[in-house]
Amino acid sequence: MAAMRGVLLQHLRVRLTSCSVVPPLSFSFCDLLRRRFSDEVKGSFLDKSEVTDRVITVVKNFQKVDPSKVTEKAHFQDDLGLDSLDAVEVVMAIEEEFGFEIPDNEADKINSVDIAVDFIASHPKQSDHPFCINLRKRPRL
């Protein structure tokens, strides 16, 4: 049986002629998918410097704040002299600026400009996400 197999394999062998070798691609299909996914994810977050500028502008425009005291590290109560109700109003103004609602348990933690910036920069842009519905901006029926 083994002899018959050997004879059969000799006749079935395909001879290859040498041809030009195609250089390998510098990236694989998986790399391409990974790169595309990374760009989509990266694009769904706001740039931290843009978030900082917008948050500082919102805080400076709040009527009870002295604009000269607003910095990237300014604390709402200690540095800007706001009470807790004013801090809530600032967070609401920030929500309006960025077009999404900050959950109450997270909003309670936001007591300075840098914490607000960190929170917003670490969350995807809500308005650009196709599955996100901003209930405050929906027309009422």
Side-chain angles (χ1 to χ4, degrees), residues 48 51 55 71-76 91 94 102 106-123:
K48 194 167 183 174
V51 172
V55 169
T71 65
E72 292 182 11
K73 301 283 185 187
H75 190 274
F76 296 154
V91 171
I94 292 170
I102 299 171
E106 295 294 328
D108 293 340
K109 298 174 189 174
I110 298 175
N111 57 13
S112 65
V113 172
D114 58 338
I115 293 174
V117 168
D118 289 341
F119 178 83
I120 293 166
S122 68
H123 287 76

Side-chain angles (χ1 to χ4, degrees), residues 92-107:
M92 289 172 61
I94 292 170
E95 288 176 332
E96 190 173 317
E97 170 69 22
F98 289 95
F100 68 93
E101 190 171 339
I102 299 171
D104 290 339
N105 61 337
E106 295 294 328

